[in-house]
Amino acid sequence: MGELSTILIVDDEPKNVDYLEQELEGFGYSTVSASNGAEALAIVKANPPALILLDVMMPVMNGFETCSILKASDETRFIPVIIMTALDAVEDRVRGIKAGADDFLTKPVDERELLARIETSLRLKEAMDR
């Protein structure tokens, strides 16, 4: 599954993007990145990824807004979105779920947990696609 799956990393911190690119490419995923929600929406429209890792606190458009827009569209609502953020309050998790996020991870993220959640999300998407 991983060797064919492209993951969109949406984060305004280049260090976070570099780390995730290295980790995910090491597991056989291809990656593309965006530094804010508006850029992510343009990328998704041009070439939809298999999954989106989405930060919350970004300039231009935050992750909650971005997720809401993705999940409101017939073309993108079934792309799994995993919110990854330093926000860890229950209210933030609830807000992410209400925005349509499929999963929620608090930074710093354990790479084993991240990989497990990506694999689970992609398996669920694959089952839905069938």
Side-chain angles (χ1 to χ4, degrees), residues 13 20 23-24 33 38 44 47 62 64 66-67 78 84 87-88 96 99 101 114 122 125 128 130:
E13 292 291 330
L20 288 168
E23 287 296 315
L24 296 172
S33 64
V44 170
N47 194 10
N62 72 41
F64 295 135
T66 305
C67 188
F78 295 116
M84 293 178 47
L87 301 174
D88 63 356
L114 173 63
L122 289 174
K125 181 181 185 310
M128 283 179 33
R130 276 189 257 132

Side-chain angles (χ1 to χ4, degrees), residues 8 32 38-49 70 75-76 79:
L8 171 58
V32 62
E39 190 179 318
L41 293 174
I43 290 171
V44 170
K45 185 174 183 173
N47 194 10
L70 288 164
E75 290 81 32
T76 58
I79 298 172

Side-chain angles (χ1 to χ4, degrees), residues 10-104:
V10 188
D11 198 313
D12 62 325
E13 292 291 330
K15 199 169 25 174
N16 293 340
V17 173
D18 289 343
Y19 168 76
L20 288 168
E21 285 175 341
Q22 289 178 18
E23 287 296 315
L24 296 172
E25 289 170 4
F27 287 112
Y29 296 101
S30 63
T31 62
V32 62
S33 64
S35 60
N36 63 62
E39 190 179 318
L41 293 174
I43 290 171
V44 170
K45 185 174 183 173
N47 194 10
L51 181 137
I52 300 169
L53 296 177
L54 182 61
D55 186 25
V56 171
M57 298 180 293
M58 297 179 292
V60 183
M61 181 185 295
N62 72 41
F64 295 135
E65 294 170 291
T66 305
C67 188
S68 292
I69 291 168
L70 288 164
K71 295 303 183 170
S73 169
D74 289 339
E75 290 81 32
T76 58
R77 78 177 46 179
F78 295 116
I79 298 172
V81 175
I82 299 175
I83 288 182
M84 293 178 47
T85 181
L87 301 174
D88 63 356
V90 171
E91 294 80 21
D92 297 316
R93 288 180 177 275
V94 169
R95 190 169 173 202
I97 291 166
K98 283 184 175 180
D102 298 280
D103 212 337
F104 194 106

